[in-house]
Amino acid sequence: MRERFVAFLPLTHSVDFAHDQILARLSGLFPSLMSKLRVVRAGGFAEGGEGGPCFLAVGPNVISVHLHPGQPNLESREALDLVCPAWFGLRSNFPRIHAHVVVRSEQDANHPAEALAIAAAVSMVAAALISIVPAEEIIWKTGEVSIEPQAFQRAALRLTIPEIKVSHWLAWRSFVGPSSPQGVPSLIYHSKGLVPFFGRELETVPSILPQAEMEKRVLAVTDFLILHGPPIFDDMPLYVPEHDYVRVRLRDRGLIDPNPVLLLRIEAGPAAGTAPRHGQALPATGGFGRRAVR
């Protein structure tokens, strides 16, 4: 079973909210999905925290909404600020968090396309709650990333149009790799948050490309893999539009990650039209939202 998608919304104070408010806000934000939204189990919470969770469906994807006291826990031995730095700076400089809302997927994904639809559904419900509860930030658990609420909501609104980005679900960390034979230091990029999609994180082989170029390439490749979900096999060449050819390998461990990884090697692209484009996706036939809630 892959890790499920969870969004935390830390609150400085709790307020009343219930399933009907969330559903109404979902309908307002995503009117094209109105016929795909329904209440699976009614619920809600009073200002003092009393109540019970509600369960909502976005298409076939069931999402639960809970309220818990205190700040969220990422199940790590390290402090939250070390594992997931807040977008606004040190959390100790901000008002104390008294409660947090948990938005959680309630089913497993067996394929990247299913995971994409479930992640989108969790994002949509979280985006609706941003307009209802006083969220200080959005913490996307699998990526251990903190996002400013309005920025997260804007990203969620793009989930029903063809051209979207998925970077708000992931965190990327760079590490210094071994030097090249010419003595040039290299960089290794490692993802956090891809396990629910592919069962493993992505790691690049050491590269001497400038950091900005590395970031641009890994984000483009990640978007392409998640959004188009080609079957991944070992030593697979992949053409990502407007970027170099890349090769994906399945490895039992990476240089940084001791667990199985998707190892990404960026290769120089051949001249246009001279090589087959393995793994290239078919042209889109509609927005992501339509595919997500079929």
Side-chain angles (χ1 to χ4, degrees):
M1 182 179 73
R2 294 179 181 175
E3 188 174 358
R4 293 182 178 179
F5 295 105
V6 178
F8 295 129
L9 286 70
L11 313 176
T12 54
H13 61 280
S14 61
V15 296
D16 293 347
F17 69 89
H19 63 276
D20 54 344
Q21 293 172 278
I22 304 172
L23 194 66
R25 190 57 186 143
L26 271 170
S27 299
L29 289 173
F30 307 99
S32 63
L33 303 181
M34 192 176 301
S35 63
K36 306 291 185 179
L37 305 175
R38 61 187 175 89
V39 176
V40 177
R41 185 192 301 174
F45 294 89
E47 185 174 342
E50 294 183 357
C54 62
F55 293 74
L56 306 171
V58 182
N61 306 304
V62 177
I63 310 300
S64 63
V65 180
H66 310 253
L67 181 68
H68 296 289
Q71 70 174 11
N73 179 10
L74 292 183
E75 300 173 359
S76 171
R77 295 180 181 179
E78 297 181 279
L80 183 63
D81 272 313
L82 294 176
V83 177
C84 177
W87 70 272
F88 48 72
L90 290 177
R91 292 184 173 91
S92 58
N93 296 334
F94 281 75
R96 179 186 171 191
I97 297 301
H98 288 274
H100 63 279
V101 176
V102 179
V103 182
R104 181 178 185 270
S105 60
E106 290 298 326
Q107 69 251 58
D108 299 324
N110 300 310
H111 187 274
E114 293 178 0
L116 176 61
I118 295 170
V122 173
S123 292
M124 291 173 180
V125 174
L129 277 158
I130 288 170
S131 301
I132 300 171
V133 300
E136 293 295 305
E137 61 182 320
I138 307 297
I139 297 175
W140 192 259
K141 183 175 180 288
T142 55
E144 295 180 355
V145 58
S146 168
I147 307 115
E148 190 269 331
Q150 280 65 46
F152 184 92
Q153 191 176 66
R154 288 193 298 270
L157 288 171
R158 293 182 60 84
L159 292 172
T160 54
I161 64 176
E163 296 300 323
I164 68 172
K165 301 295 182 183
V166 298
S167 57
H168 64 290
W169 293 333
L170 307 169
W172 284 96
R173 297 175 176 86
S174 61
F175 300 85
V176 177
S179 297
S180 71
Q182 294 75 32
V184 180
S186 67
L187 283 177
I188 299 172
Y189 269 76
H190 182 267
S191 69
K192 180 62 180 174
L194 278 181
V195 168
F197 294 97
F198 299 106
R200 54 182 72 195
E201 297 294 345
L202 187 149
E203 187 174 296
T204 67
V205 300
S207 174
I208 60 173
L209 283 172
Q211 185 168 350
E213 290 299 311
M214 284 288 290
E215 290 177 354
K216 181 169 65 175
R217 283 164 170 77
V218 296
L219 289 174
V221 170
T222 305
D223 279 352
F224 184 80
L225 287 174
I226 293 178
L227 294 176
H228 300 294
I232 297 175
F233 53 87
D234 192 30
D235 209 24
M236 171 183 173
L238 181 73
Y239 179 78
V240 180
E242 301 180 7
H243 286 273
D244 296 339
Y245 275 68
V246 298
R247 190 173 293 273
V248 179
R249 296 187 171 103
L250 305 179
R251 291 294 181 262
D252 292 335
R253 61 174 297 153
L255 284 175
I256 303 300
D257 194 334
N259 302 303
V261 297
L262 297 173
L263 190 66
L264 178 68
R265 179 184 293 277
I266 299 171
E267 301 173 342
T274 63
R277 297 181 174 184
H278 296 91
Q280 188 173 14
L282 296 174
T285 56
F288 161 77
R290 294 176 186 172
R291 290 189 286 117
V293 296
R294 66 183 183 282

